[in-house]
Amino acid sequence: MSKLEEARVFEQEWKSEVDRRRPVFHLTPTVGWMNDPNGFSRYKDKYHLFYQYYPYDVKWGPMYWGHAVSDDLIRWERRPVALAPDEPYESGCYSGTAAQSPEYGQVLMYTAHLVDRSGIVTETQCIAYGDGENFRKFPENPVIRTEQLPEGMRASDFRDPKIFRDDDTWYALIVCMDEDGYGNALLYSSKDLKKWTYVNTILKSEDALGRMWECPDIFKMEEKTVMLLSAVEMEATRDFVHHNGHEVLYLVGNYDKEKHEFEPESYGCVDAGLDFYAPQTVEAPDGRRIMIGWIGSWQNAVTPKELPFNGMMSVPRELSVRDGRLYQTPVREIENYYTDTVERTAIIGMKKVMLEDVEGRIADIEMEIRGRDFDTFTICIAENDRYETVINYDKRDRLLTFDRLFSGNRKDSLNMRTMPVTAEKELFRLRLILDRYSVEIFADDGAEVMTSTIFTPLEADGISFVCDGRAELSVVKHGIRVDQE
Ligand code: FRU
């Protein structure tokens, strides 16, 4: 059996074991480990989503590409593993993207990560093409080799191609670490997907935006061009906009198509949570730009080893840009899966309150918090006598804090994050997306977002509210029901 066939058999043997424990509308690996989304695209009237995948363990290993398809971004159908690291030029098939070509059908461009016998790492770019399920690698692979790097770049960190087409030319935007350790976004072009030429370095980090970058994306939004970068080794800023470590950045600016230069005008943090990384976007048939990211983290993972999977995707999010800022809202398709909707209003004071039928770990919850007479408002979720996950809104300083100290975590990892919110003085809007082991918080109509995992036992499903004065609260809570295959 080939490496790919072996992995496909293994998936089938283990899948049903994992099914009982999964989140219901957040894609998880068929079995084992998942990190970055890959090849998020449309092909033959469906959304395709691939992902960094190691089926044989619940931790990262030699990378395969897992695969799923969907009609509406909420209900996913699993497809057999798509790529295995089975060529002499690769010990892992690292992240990349997908496109459609009239000649080759569905095209996947990925990084071949190779560690040779003496431990030397090189990264090159490869192409596979297929029919939506089975893929073949080009005999010409690697199509972009390390000799094609401009001077001063490191061959060991040259990865994550974003492929796109403009008129009759293919482009690939690829990140690379330079000799000083900083990220560069390199643009290559090709007419036939096989012969690629270096065009320009469209953006350099030079320590202003973290060190190395990973997983670039670039797309148009109204008049502007938006770039997404997953930055490594960011430094926290005093205003809480940026945090230490891995952080996804957005940059809004202008792209000069003649010179192939990008001039950013504004930038910010895509998601301030403890677990959000390496997102990619796709354009929906109706023109919406939709982003999905990995809910997980390289240095703060808290997944208990007893779970038969590790890693999940975020809820897909519709993007928009207003005044140089990025806004995100869960895709509207989620509404088709609402069930058991309840609406409640209450006056919240200094005694903790639970509202009838406002509870659960699989839900979409919208809240409006109003009033002058309080400074902090606290929401506890995933709560029982032993556990609670705390979301605290500090109205005076306009900060929102997420705290998972009591969320079943047994690791020495970070538990808390704070982000600024732009809420009006007397009204704060919050939306929570819960799906068993994740919490996605959308504040101020999606201007600020925070995504984190919790591994609190599922029986802790209480939700409560309290404040340090008096506040008016209204809540609309939808359960979510998805019959997965
Ligand atoms: C980002 C990343 C990518 C790489 C992949 C390896 O999370 O480090 O840069 O291609 O994961 O799994």
Side-chain angles (χ1 to χ4, degrees):
M1 253 197 289
S2 74
K3 227 175 172 171
L4 185 72
E5 285 159 357
E6 239 170 70
R8 287 182 168 188
V9 169
F10 184 83
E11 274 185 322
Q12 278 320 307
E13 285 169 5
W14 283 92
K15 181 183 161 291
S16 56
E17 264 307 291
V18 190
D19 283 350
R20 288 179 293 122
R21 317 279 299 272
R22 300 178 192 281
V24 304
F25 61 103
H26 287 67
L27 183 70
T28 40
T30 303
V31 53
W33 165 274
M34 158 194 279
N35 55 286
D36 314 352
N38 292 157
F40 191 25
S41 56
R42 301 266 316 164
Y43 182 69
K44 292 198 175 154
D45 297 329
K46 284 193 185 286
Y47 291 98
H48 282 251
L49 181 62
F50 302 82
Y51 51 88
Q52 290 284 279
Y53 183 35
Y54 185 59
Y56 300 114
D57 206 338
V58 286
K59 52 183 200 246
W60 190 88
M63 283 288 107
Y64 292 62
W65 275 35
H67 187 193
V69 298
S70 177
D71 290 323
D72 65 0
L73 298 159
I74 300 293
R75 187 178 183 279
W76 291 96
E77 261 171 63
R78 290 167 200 290
R79 289 279 161 94
V81 52
L83 298 179
D86 51 12
E87 293 291 341
Y89 50 75
E90 62 198 9
S91 26
C93 299
Y94 273 21
S95 283
T97 48
Q100 255 190 75
S101 114
E103 232 178 317
Y104 298 106
Q106 196 176 24
V107 169
L108 313 179
M109 188 170 195
Y110 69 95
T111 297
H113 175 90
L114 181 68
V115 188
D116 76 6
R117 282 205 197 143
S118 43
I120 293 173
V121 176
T122 43
E123 294 188 329
T124 54
Q125 318 310 321
C126 292
I127 287 191
Y129 63 99
D131 59 359
E133 184 144 331
N134 296 301
F135 299 88
R136 276 181 193 203
K137 295 177 183 170
F138 270 180
E140 291 83 354
N141 279 345
V143 291
I144 308 181
R145 295 162 192 259
T146 54
E147 301 84 72
Q148 288 162 266
L149 278 170
E151 219 172 297
M153 296 292 147
R154 292 193 196 175
S156 57
D157 290 271
F158 173 39
R159 59 179 173 269
D160 308 340
K162 157 77 187 183
I163 188 172
F164 58 98
R165 200 181 157 107
D166 195 13
D167 293 331
D168 60 345
T169 307
W170 289 102
Y171 290 98
L173 186 65
I174 312 170
V175 284
C176 193
M177 191 194 273
D178 59 31
E179 278 156 7
D180 299 324
Y182 298 126
N184 295 266
L186 313 181
L187 188 72
Y188 287 78
S189 74
S190 172
K191 291 282 180 206
D192 61 1
L193 294 170
K194 292 184 172 168
K195 266 205 352 252
W196 290 82
T197 328
Y198 167 71
V199 179
N200 199 16
T201 298
I202 73 163
L203 196 71
K204 291 174 93 58
S205 148
E206 289 167 334
D207 203 20
L209 301 168
R211 288 221 165 98
M212 174 55 180
W213 293 332
E214 302 180 310
C215 304
D217 196 354
I218 189 163
F219 49 89
K220 281 213 112 114
M221 245 190 161
E222 279 118 55
E223 303 301 286
K224 298 289 169 194
T225 293
V226 179
M227 237 179 118
L228 301 179
L229 291 167
S230 291
V232 178
E233 294 184 42
M234 285 288 292
E235 242 179 57
T237 51
R238 295 266 174 178
D239 56 8
F240 294 102
V241 171
H242 300 285
H243 53 263
N244 300 113
H246 292 80
E247 174 176 312
V248 183
L249 296 167
Y250 69 85
L251 296 96
V252 181
N254 300 307
Y255 188 76
D256 182 329
K257 267 177 79 167
E258 306 304 312
K259 297 197 191 125
H260 293 291
E261 282 169 5
F262 179 59
E263 243 346 291
E265 291 172 338
S266 59
Y267 71 95
C269 168
V270 171
D271 191 307
L274 293 158
D275 302 282
F276 185 85
Y277 200 59
Q280 296 196 346
T281 64
V282 67
E283 191 181 339
D286 59 7
R288 285 174 299 161
R289 178 60 57 175
I290 295 170
M291 178 181 77
I292 199 164
W294 168 40
I295 301 190
S297 108
W298 286 120
Q299 277 159 10
N300 279 305
V302 298
T303 319
K305 52 183 181 306
E306 304 76 42
L307 270 187
F309 70 92
N310 192 330
M312 53 200 133
M313 290 296 152
S314 69
V315 72
R317 303 168 183 179
E318 296 176 19
L319 300 184
S320 58
V321 170
R322 266 178 271 157
D323 301 327
R325 292 194 66 175
L326 188 76
Y327 286 74
Q328 306 166 52
T329 39
V331 282
R332 56 197 75 166
E333 286 84 345
I334 196 173
E335 294 163 20
N336 300 332
Y337 296 90
Y338 284 168
T339 173
D340 304 320
T341 296
V342 293
E343 291 184 35
R344 301 279 178 264
T345 53
I347 301 293
I348 306 297
M350 293 196 266
K351 205 165 152 258
K352 222 180 211 202
V353 174
M354 295 180 98
L355 305 175
E356 198 187 345
D357 296 325
V358 177
E359 61 189 12
R361 292 280 290 270
I362 303 171
D364 182 347
I365 309 171
E366 288 162 86
M367 292 173 215
E368 283 188 6
I369 300 158
R370 278 171 211 273
R372 256 184 249 172
D373 307 324
F374 71 94
D375 287 329
T376 62
F377 189 99
T378 305
I379 304 154
C380 288
I381 57 172
E383 187 181 38
N384 64 8
D385 295 346
R386 182 163 166 189
Y387 298 108
E388 61 178 356
T389 301
V390 181
I391 299 163
N392 192 62
Y393 169 47
D394 174 340
K395 179 156 74 78
R396 218 175 13 194
D397 293 332
R398 298 200 184 182
L399 294 174
L400 192 76
T401 298
F402 171 86
D403 185 351
R404 65 173 177 199
L405 184 61
F406 302 109
S407 310
N409 177 17
R410 288 170 188 258
K411 306 234 170 94
D412 281 332
S413 44
L414 286 181
N415 289 312
M416 205 155 110
R417 275 282 164 76
T418 296
M419 69 174 178
V421 290
T422 47
E424 291 165 36
K425 265 261 168 292
E426 279 163 33
L427 168 66
F428 181 50
R429 275 207 200 98
L430 202 63
R431 181 165 172 193
L432 302 184
I433 302 281
L434 309 180
D435 194 2
R436 288 194 165 148
Y437 302 114
S438 63
V439 185
E440 293 168 272
I441 306 173
F442 298 82
D444 298 321
D445 292 328
E448 298 97 19
V449 185
M450 247 187 193
T451 301
S452 307
T453 54
I454 53 169
F455 288 96
T456 320
L458 295 177
E459 62 271 17
D461 67 352
I463 298 178
S464 70
F465 307 90
V466 67
C467 81
D468 65 352
R470 183 181 185 279
E472 291 162 38
L473 169 72
S474 52
V475 180
V476 181
K477 185 226 147 192
H478 311 277
I480 293 178
R481 195 191 148 148
V482 183
D483 297 316
Q484 296 288 2
E485 27 82 68

